[in-house]
Amino acid sequence: MHAYERLFIGGEWVGPSSDATFDVHSPTSGELVGRVPEAREADVDRAVAAARQAFEGGPWPRMTPTERAVVLTKAAEAIRNDMQGMSELISNEMGSPVSWGSLAQVFAPTMILDYYAGLGSTFAFDTVKVGLLGPVMVTKEPVGVVAAITPWNVPLFLAAAKLSPALLAGCTVVFKPAPETPLDANRLAEILADAGLPAGVLSVVPAGREVGDHLVNHPGVDKVSFTGSTAAGRKIGAACGANLKRCSLELGGKSAAILLDDVDLETSLPLLMPNAIMNNGEACISLTRILAPRDRYAEVTDALVEQVRALKVGDALDPATEVGPLVAERQRERVEGYIRIGQEEGAKVAIGGGRPAGLDSGWFVEPTVFVDVDNGMRIAREEIFGPVLSVIPYDGEEDAVRIANDSDYGLCGAVFTADNDRGVKVARQVRTGTYMVNSNIPIDFSSPFGGYKASGVGREFGEDGLELFLEKKTINLPAGYSPDV
Ligand code: NAD
């Protein structure tokens, strides 16, 4: 049991302003695995004040990027030294199978920390050039106090995606994890403090929506970096717009995998499947719409059903498990609600649709494949956030691209084909921020990642991810002068 009685605010573990707590239960067994104080408005005010003070007068923004990078590198090492502990902690919070989680939930965040630590010595924070009218220096400065807000589905990964570039940039951060996953957030605070992060640079305020809203609207916050649902993203974007506050949004998805008519299913489906039902289907980038050529529709659905039948569903902590429980009862209700909606809309369940036998204590849903799906159905348009796939027939490549693009979202996608050139041609026509051509890698941390349309605003990862936390300043210089940079 991971029990915290204090909140990490301003670099210290301090008493919370109220007695309210969040209990964390294992989604597999229901057992109580942790408890943390719930942060309230007064705690957020305290955290923002500490972050403001550390930004205005503390050492962190005044250190060089390479000095700040040392802290990130040490944090990455500390996480790697406790891969199993961290992986089990996250699985106990939200049900991710450790087989997937140890790499995606834990090792990947260390890659992100290391990548941004590397940018500390290679990124051009200052550039001097001859402008149109004389010499010019463009310098990139930290944006200020950052509110980082994350969902529960890949908690440490998303914390790393925000904190690594924000901290490298020299910002100070108030981090609001989701109420479901406060334990790994507190662990990350401990790790960063041990790695040498100065007091005040980071605070962690586990809280729900209302307190999150208070943080977003706080006048002491300069920039909001949000990952979560499109509905919440719209509200946060509007609030930031009203205050002219910097804001980046990573939101939902309903991504399509196109199987072209020349596809080899034996080699392609093993690439597709891990991204179709990754993280129990609780992933923004999941390939939940499978687009199959009409004349190979039966062949594709049969092969997919066999892949899904072979998935091992069970205890998230069992290394053999490929699909674990959903995060909570309400998430299972949501997913089961969509399974009912799909049937009412006329789609057919080819496999799954119920609860797996013998797993009564956790929030399990059978991995489910719907066939005879039309792209206009709600199960094809709305984010289900569970292990539910829809197979949609198409007539010709142009139709496949049209259906892939016929979505409010534009986060991710994939094409599988015997012809890579044809795949790249399709990739160029699909309006999403990231795409896979005969690949199973949806995100490369050195390259931009984010959404078109209702999937977001801005790009995380790569140098773009660092730029989200920088302001650019142009300094016009006297003729003949060139500063050392
Ligand atoms: P959510 O939007 O309900 O909550 C996300 C976080 O925002 C939580 O910490 C929550 O407390 C907070 N929050 C919610 N409303 C808020 C408000 N008005 N002001 C301030 N904070 C607020 O999302 P969820 O259901 O927890 O997470 C799942 C969603 O996240 C899915 O839509 C998924 O696609 C998306 N997601 C996107 C990405 C991406 O990179 N694009 C990655 C992971 C998850």
Side-chain angles (χ1 to χ4, degrees), residues 405-417:
N405 282 332
D406 179 13
S407 172
D408 294 337
Y409 296 107
L411 192 57
C412 185
V415 61
F416 296 95
T417 165

Side-chain angles (χ1 to χ4, degrees), residues 125-304:
F125 285 89
D126 291 333
T127 359
V128 176
K129 61 176 186 179
V130 179
L132 284 179
L133 303 174
V136 160
M137 180 164 95
V138 177
T139 183
K140 295 179 181 174
E141 302 180 336
V143 69
V145 172
V146 171
I149 302 178
T150 53
W152 44 264
N153 67 326
V154 269
L156 186 67
F157 179 97
L158 295 172
K162 299 187 182 316
L163 268 54
S164 313
L167 294 176
L168 183 78
C171 295
T172 59
V173 182
V174 178
F175 170 33
K176 194 204 85 58
E180 294 82 355
T181 49
L183 303 175
D184 68 280
N186 276 354
R187 183 77 196 101
L188 180 62
E190 289 164 352
I191 287 170
L192 282 164
D194 288 349
L197 196 68
V201 176
L202 175 68
S203 295
V204 179
V205 286
R209 286 175 188 192
E210 280 174 27
V211 175
D213 183 62
H214 179 72
L215 174 61
V216 165
N217 284 289
H218 201 296
V221 168
D222 299 300
K223 146 102 197 176
V224 177
S225 172
F226 174 77
T227 297
S229 62
T230 292
R234 283 187 206 279
K235 283 195 195 130
I236 290 170
C240 290
N243 292 306
L244 296 180
K245 201 172 274 193
R246 278 71 186 130
C247 175
S248 44
L249 304 169
E250 292 286 346
L251 309 175
K254 192 74 194 178
S255 300
I258 301 175
L259 300 169
L260 288 182
D261 53 9
D262 61 359
V263 72
D264 174 32
L265 294 178
E266 218 168 293
T267 53
S268 299
L269 289 190
L271 293 175
L272 188 163
M273 278 308 293
N275 289 315
I277 300 194
M278 70 161 78
N279 205 24
N280 314 331
E282 295 164 320
C284 55
I285 47 177
S286 290
L287 301 170
T288 49
R289 292 184 295 150
I290 316 282
L291 275 44
R294 198 176 296 277
D295 56 4
R296 293 186 64 184
Y297 190 74
E299 183 195 348
V300 168
T301 52
D302 288 353
L304 253 179

